[in-house]
């Protein structure tokens, strides 16, 4: 059987084989070195799981729908894999009620194509959304591979996203206009890349961003971290002169790094050589809101140690932080001083001696007891 034409009916009462693997109806469909195409308005339910093994190919095209009520595992790399519109037109739907484990190629290819995944997504392969398509991850994303959006496409992640690989928009020189939204915490791990590359590409991280790797914002793109969430940076954030990075909620005019009054930026410092850097090329840095200094427990920089964490062109710095958190450290003996240097094009943290350190609570108690005894002795002598 090579195809079932539109309007036809095919009732499977026994075993159905794809690539030599037997299945009972479509209860569990496993494709091994075989091809399964749902086309021309087909509406197919798989009641349990779908496994597409190496060499397998599944395509949903020409206005068709595939619903998998269980989990999906894809082990087939491109050009094989799981697709919408690989050979046909758009307006197709893949609905996965369970989780997705993608170790190969998963492509959502055309305008009107929609993929919804109800469970957690674990991606070590390539998950591509292109051509104006849309994907929704209802739960979390754990990415060690590549997730990329191209050509006015959309990805909504309704849980946390933890990126150890590459999470990008317009990485393949698409037309831009992509939207990536993460409603949970977005974490870019050490060695990972978070890249927003295209004109009018927008990344919104509603619950905050923790960066330990590389974040690149370029070619007229925008990143927004909504308040009251924060950006905590231990890696490098690089913003070109055409793009905008906004921390906080409200009206912001770019390009450049814009921190609003309700925004919080966390500067993470682990050692003299391991701390976050924010680098701007030809863009304005407008500062306001809160600076939260996140010093690694057990590390106390010597007095005079400086950390230059914001670099930009001279004359492009404006504003200051309204609030500094954790500016006293090392048991109250040291403090952080912020150096705003517009002429030099940098903002710097310097460790200085805290001359107004507060005595420990035990010192207060002893001091109070001594004063009380002194007063009592003076009073007795006055009475005598």
């Amino acid at each position: 059987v090579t195809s079932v034409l539109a309007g036809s009916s095919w009732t499977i009462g026994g075993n159905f084989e794809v690539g030599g693997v037997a299945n009972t109806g479509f209860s569990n469909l496993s494709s091994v070195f075989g091809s399964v195409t749902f086309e021309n308005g087909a509406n197919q339910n798989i009641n349990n799981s779908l496994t597409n093994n190496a060499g397998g190919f599944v395509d949903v095209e020409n206005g068709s729908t595939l619903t998998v009520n269980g989990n999906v595992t894809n082990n087939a790399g491109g050009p094989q894999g799981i697709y919408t519109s690989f050979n046909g037109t758009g307006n197709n739907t893949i609905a996965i009620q369970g989780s997705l484990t993608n170790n190969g190629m998963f492509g959502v290819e055309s305008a009107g194509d929609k993929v919804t995944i109800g469970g957690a997504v674990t991606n070590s392969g390539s998950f591509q959304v292109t051509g104006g398509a849309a994907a929704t991850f209802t739960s979390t994303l754990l990415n060690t591979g590549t997730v990329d959006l191209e050509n006015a496409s959309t990805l909504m992640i309704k849980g946390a996203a933890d990126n150890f690989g590459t999470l990008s928009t317009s990485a393949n020189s698409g037309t831009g206009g992509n939207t990536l939204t993460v409603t949970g915490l977005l974490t870019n791990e050490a060695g990972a890349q978070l890249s927003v590359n295209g004109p009018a590409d927008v990344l919104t991280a509603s619950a905050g961003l923790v960066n330990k790797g590389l974040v690149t914002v370029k070619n007229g793109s925008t990143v927004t971290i909504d308040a009251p969430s924060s950006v905590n940076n231990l890696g490098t954030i690089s913003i070109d002169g055409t793009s905008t990075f906004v921390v906080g909620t409200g009206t912001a005019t770019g390009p450049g790094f814009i921190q609003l009054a309700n925004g919080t930026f966390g500067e993470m410092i682990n050692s003299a050589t391991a701390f976050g850097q924010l680098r701007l090329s030809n863009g304005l840095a407008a500062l306001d809101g809160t600076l939260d200094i996140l010093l690694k427990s057990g590390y106390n920089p010597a007095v005079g140690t400086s950390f230059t964490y914001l670099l930009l062109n001279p004359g492009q710095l404006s504003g200051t932080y309204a609030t500094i958190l954790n500016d006293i450290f090392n048991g109250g003996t040291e403090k952080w001083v912020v150096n705003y240097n517009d002429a030099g094009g940098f903002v710097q943290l310097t460790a200085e001696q805290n001359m107004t350190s507060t005595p420990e609570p035990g010192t207060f108690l002893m001091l109070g007891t001594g004063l009380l005894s002194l007063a009592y002795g003076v009073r007795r002598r006055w009475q005598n």
Side-chain angles (χ1 to χ4, degrees):
V1 177
T2 59
S3 65
V4 178
L5 300 179
S8 300
S9 175
W10 182 19
T11 301
I12 302 173
N15 290 332
F16 172 71
E17 292 191 359
V18 178
V21 177
N23 302 272
T24 301
F26 279 110
S27 178
N28 289 279
L29 175 62
S30 180
S31 174
V32 182
F33 298 107
S35 175
V36 178
T37 300
F38 304 97
E39 63 182 355
N40 300 326
N43 191 336
Q44 180 63 57
N45 289 323
I46 297 175
N47 292 327
N48 291 311
S49 65
L50 168 63
T51 301
N52 188 47
N53 287 319
F57 178 82
V58 176
D59 185 30
V60 182
E61 59 185 51
N62 299 327
S64 299
T65 298
L66 172 63
T67 301
V68 182
N69 294 320
N71 301 325
V72 172
T73 300
N74 177 44
N75 297 318
Q80 286 76 35
I82 299 176
Y83 294 90
T84 63
S85 302
F86 186 88
N87 290 314
T89 59
N91 297 311
N92 305 289
T93 299
I94 296 178
I96 300 170
Q97 307 300 327
S99 63
L100 169 65
T101 301
N102 182 47
N103 304 312
M105 178 65 195
F106 197 118
V108 192
E109 302 279 298
S110 294
D113 287 354
K114 297 179 181 179
V115 169
T116 303
I117 301 165
V121 175
T122 302
N123 180 62
S124 62
S126 180
F127 191 100
Q128 303 285 329
V129 188
T130 186
T136 300
F137 299 168
T138 306
S139 185
T140 58
L141 167 66
L142 174 60
N143 179 50
T144 58
T146 299
V147 177
D148 183 53
L149 281 69
E150 302 283 339
N151 306 321
S153 297
T154 301
L155 172 60
M156 166 72 77
I157 303 172
K158 295 187 176 181
D162 200 358
N163 180 42
F164 290 84
T166 299
L167 181 58
S168 60
T169 66
S170 301
N172 297 311
S173 302
T175 58
N178 302 288
T179 302
L180 172 58
T181 304
V182 183
T183 62
L185 179 65
L186 172 57
T187 302
N188 194 49
E189 302 285 357
Q193 296 189 43
L194 174 60
S195 302
V196 190
N197 296 306
D201 285 354
V202 176
L203 164 63
T204 302
S206 301
L209 167 66
V210 176
N211 176 48
K212 304 174 186 177
L214 175 62
V215 175
T216 304
V217 188
K218 62 183 182 180
N219 299 327
S221 57
T222 300
V223 173
T224 301
I225 312 299
D226 291 332
S229 302
S230 62
V231 176
N232 291 340
N233 185 38
L234 183 61
T236 299
I237 300 174
S238 179
I239 308 167
D240 78 357
T242 67
S243 301
T244 304
F245 194 114
V246 181
V247 182
T249 304
T251 303
T253 302
F257 177 80
I258 315 297
Q259 183 170 340
L260 301 174
N262 56 9
T264 299
F265 184 84
E267 172 60 21
M268 303 172 72
I269 301 174
N270 280 5
S271 70
T273 57
F275 61 96
Q277 285 200 326
L278 178 61
R279 298 175 176 268
L280 286 79
S281 58
N282 300 317
L284 170 73
L287 303 181
D288 199 348
T290 300
L291 173 65
D292 191 3
I293 305 169
L294 304 171
L295 187 63
K296 184 179 181 180
S297 177
Y299 174 59
N300 292 304
V303 171
T305 305
S306 293
F307 298 85
T308 303
Y309 70 92
L310 172 57
L311 298 100
L312 71 167
N313 287 348
Q316 295 294 302
L317 177 64
S318 67
T320 60
Y321 300 109
T323 304
I324 309 293
L325 300 180
N326 299 313
D327 56 333
I328 306 298
F329 65 99
N330 199 6
T333 63
E334 292 184 72
K335 64 179 181 180
W336 291 111
V337 174
V338 184
N339 178 16
Y340 305 92
N341 195 320
D342 182 34
F346 64 85
V347 179
Q348 185 180 75
L349 284 171
T350 301
E352 293 189 1
Q353 185 177 358
N354 185 20
M355 303 302 294
T356 59
S357 59
T358 303
E360 297 293 328
T363 305
F364 271 120
L365 181 61
M366 294 176 62
L367 180 61
T369 304
L371 289 174
L372 181 62
S373 299
L374 177 61
Y376 180 70
V378 169
R379 183 178 180 184
R380 288 194 59 184
R381 284 195 295 272
W382 180 78
Q383 288 176 338
N384 289 338

